[in-house]
Amino acid sequence: MSTRTAALVFAIAFAGIGIAGFMPSPTPADAPPLTLEHGHGMALGMFPVNTLHTIVHLLFAILGLAAWAGGRSRGYFQFLAVSYALLAVLGLSPATH
């Protein structure tokens, strides 16, 4: 599979995840409080989401489609790698819990 085709596959996956995030089920009673409560729920009854999280997935989908159409798929995957690495480091910070 070429990187261009992979960008299209990732874009479709991110779009599906983003759409599913806008239809969350209610959160369980023992869920911890969040800073951003708008749209807070459980996507597919399993994954915690909120509106900002869903918008980020849709943004990655749009960027993936643009990378596929413009032939910039390698840059798209580099951007994804850096973005997820930064989010992982941010998740390790006690200030974000």
Side-chain angles (χ1 to χ4, degrees), residues 15-84:
I17 293 166
I19 291 168
F22 279 120
M23 299 175 270
S25 61
T27 56
D30 61 344
L34 296 176
T35 304
L36 179 65
E37 292 286 339
H38 188 269
H40 182 234
M42 302 292 280
L44 303 175
M46 297 183 292
F47 306 107
V49 294
N50 59 27
T51 302
L52 181 61
H53 186 198
T54 302
I55 290 171
V56 169
H57 279 111
L58 292 176
L59 175 68
F60 284 163
I62 291 168
L63 291 174
L65 287 174
W68 170 72
R72 306 286 294 175
S73 56
R74 183 174 176 169
Y76 169 68
F77 285 116
Q78 290 172 342
F79 173 74
L80 282 182
V82 170
S83 298
Y84 275 104

